[in-house]
Amino acid sequence: MPNPKHRKSKSKTRMGRSHHALKPPSLGKCPNCGEMFLPHRACPACGFYKERQVLDLD
Ligand SMILES: [Zn+2]
């Protein structure tokens, strides 16, 4: 079984963890109402996706 020969130093552990931060989600602007929305999802404000109504909002 492949096994690490030495324990990683605190420094090396922390260096690896420097890449673990989460990025804020990317947002697009709705072309219909100008609201911010998550890409590849219908706009939560007006229910539009790909320039047509896809959600039935009240
Ligand atoms: Zn919208």
Side-chain angles (χ1 to χ4, degrees):
M1 275 277 260
N3 233 356
K5 193 172 268 181
H6 300 290
R7 194 162 80 101
K8 246 199 207 178
S9 67
K10 281 176 197 166
S11 168
K12 289 293 175 188
T13 299
R14 287 164 188 172
M15 274 188 217
R17 286 180 188 169
S18 72
H19 303 283
H20 289 189
L22 290 172
K23 274 195 259 173
S26 61
L27 293 172
K29 202 158 170 250
C30 177
N32 187 56
C33 67
E35 197 68 44
M36 301 304 265
F37 70 103
L38 293 168
H40 310 116
R41 280 159 190 78
C43 172
C46 65
F48 263 60
Y49 189 67
K50 298 273 180 209
E51 284 134 39
R52 65 187 183 89
Q53 188 81 42
V54 292
L55 291 181
D56 203 11
L57 300 173
D58 51 271

